[in-house]
Structure formats: structure tokens, C-alpha cells
Amino acid sequence: MRIDILTALPLQVEHTLELSVMRRVKGQIQVAAHDLRAYASGRHQQIDDYPYGGGAGMVLKCEPIFACLEAIGGTPDEVVFLSPDGERFTQPLANALSLNRHLVLIAGHYKGVDQRVRDAVVTREISVGDYVLSGGELPAVVLVDAVARLVPGVLGDAASALSDSFQDGLLGVPLYTRPATFRGMEVPPVLRSGNHAHIAQWREAARLKKTQLRRPDLLQEYGQAH
């Protein structure tokens, strides 16, 4: 997989990714952060300007983004714009994106991006939540991390990603490890019983209970799907 990130802050992207799962997946995934200023014209390499019609804030210009995309070349499977008004980023969406061979991510900045970029080249707009950040760099890193861990060979245990929260519509199971007793708190006996059928039943019941308490909206969707 190849992921290209168009950004006004390439160092923020690169440094954050170096501390994530990406530091050990260079063989399976190639990620490059492209500095939009390198593709801006003029002495000051300006990548933003005031919005037509007035209003607060600055807007990312068309020219650097189009020039960067042309320099990258190829035909990406998806060109994703990270934006607060995009579709909500979910585990099923991460699963779908992980099947692609080439993704381009455009990290919004300032007030937003010229609408002509969204109309002409963006194939998908994604939001990581109903809140506004100072830029799309951190959402882009979130997306890369969520997608990268699903690519075969990235995680040491391939089954680990399949048991994550949201993979089948429920939250994850409560987890325990040694010691069996700590400060009067004990691991549930069923998990130490060795009876795998009983353990599976306990885990399913625990996940349903946890989802009911914390995310009843997910439980409703889970019931409709099953």
C-alpha cells in the first residue's frame, strides 16, 4: 500500500507517524508527506488566501494541491479530504480503505480548502469526529494508523485486529492478565477455567453488557445486522 499525504505541516505528520505502528511497517506500506509549499508559486510560496465574498479565516488555494497531485502521478484508488463535515470515520470504513493500493489524503488547514479541489479531485470526505481541529494533519495520521494495522503483515498477530472493538459492531471484551489476584481484585474464574466454550459465552455476554452501557446505539445496529 502507498499513502501520500498533502499537508501544510509535513513535519507534524512525519514525527507523529514515527511514534506509531508505522515505524515498523515500511516494508508493507509506503507513506510520504508532501509539503504543499514546495508546490506553491511566488517568492513567498503562499498556499492560502482570503475567501471570496469575505469572512473570517484563510482558505487553501487550488494551485499547490493540483500541482502536488500531478507530481505524485498515478491514479489513486481514493483521494480523501479530511474535513469536519465529511462522513464519520468508522471501523468498517477503515476496513474498506485498507483494501486499496494507493490512497491520497489531503489535510485541510486554516478555514478550509477551495471548493474546486473538493469538486474536481476528492473522491471521499472523512471526519474523525464532531469537533474542529486546527488542521487535518492529526486526522490524517489517525486514518493512516487505523488503516495500516489492518494490512496483512503489519501486526504480529493477524487475529488481533479482528478482535478489536467495532469489528463486528460491538465494543471489545474486558481483558485480564497475571497476577490472578491483585489487591483483592480477582480475574473472573471462568477465564481461568480452561473451558473454551464457557469462556466464549462469557466474553460474548460481557461485550453485549459493555456495549449496552456505553454505546446502546451500536447495540441497536448490531441487533438489526444479526
Side-chain angles (χ1 to χ4, degrees):
M1 172 179 277
R2 171 184 170 187
I3 302 177
D4 292 288
I5 304 173
L6 282 58
T7 171
L9 299 172
L11 290 181
Q12 183 181 28
V13 172
E14 292 168 351
H15 290 172
T16 308
L17 286 175
E18 278 299 315
L19 299 174
S20 75
V21 69
M22 293 305 300
R23 71 185 184 277
R24 62 175 188 269
V25 301
K26 289 182 172 61
Q28 294 93 339
I29 303 174
Q30 295 178 332
V31 180
H34 303 272
D35 188 351
L36 286 174
R37 287 184 177 82
Y39 300 90
S41 58
R43 183 177 60 170
H44 300 292
Q45 295 181 302
Q46 185 177 352
I47 63 173
D48 64 320
D49 210 336
Y50 295 101
Y52 275 117
M58 303 291 279
V59 179
L60 282 175
K61 294 163 62 70
C62 285
E63 296 99 317
I65 295 175
F66 276 81
C68 185
L69 287 171
E70 290 163 2
I72 290 172
T75 304
D77 298 296
E78 294 273 14
V79 178
V80 177
F81 176 53
L82 284 307
S83 170
D85 55 8
E87 65 179 301
R88 187 174 50 135
F89 190 47
T90 63
Q91 189 62 49
L93 181 50
N95 294 344
L97 291 174
S98 73
L99 301 177
N100 293 309
R101 295 183 62 86
H102 186 194
L103 299 176
V104 170
L105 310 181
I106 301 176
H109 211 73
Y110 309 111
K111 190 65 176 178
V113 67
D114 191 300
Q115 183 64 37
R116 288 168 290 188
V117 172
R118 302 170 84 162
D119 293 340
V121 299
V122 172
T123 62
R124 191 162 221 152
E125 300 188 5
I126 294 176
S127 168
V128 296
D130 294 341
Y131 48 86
V132 178
L133 298 171
S134 58
E137 283 75 20
L138 292 177
V141 170
V142 167
L143 188 149
V144 170
D145 192 283
V147 169
R149 63 195 311 279
L150 298 171
V151 174
V154 169
L155 296 181
D157 183 358
S160 177
L162 298 178
S163 61
D164 288 338
S165 290
F166 307 111
Q167 277 291 7
D168 63 357
L170 298 178
L171 297 182
V173 65
L175 298 172
Y176 299 87
T177 188
R178 292 180 288 183
T181 302
F182 178 72
R183 295 185 179 179
M185 298 178 287
E186 291 196 6
V187 174
V190 64
L191 296 179
R192 295 176 282 151
S193 69
N195 188 318
H196 296 294
H198 288 174
I199 291 173
Q201 292 172 1
W202 181 90
R203 285 177 169 166
E204 180 70 7
R207 296 181 68 213
L208 287 167
K209 181 179 179 180
K210 184 178 181 181
T211 306
Q212 175 65 56
L213 289 172
R214 299 185 181 182
R215 292 292 303 275
D217 57 311
L218 293 177
L219 196 59
Q220 182 177 3
E221 296 174 8
Y222 178 81
Q224 292 172 352
H226 294 75

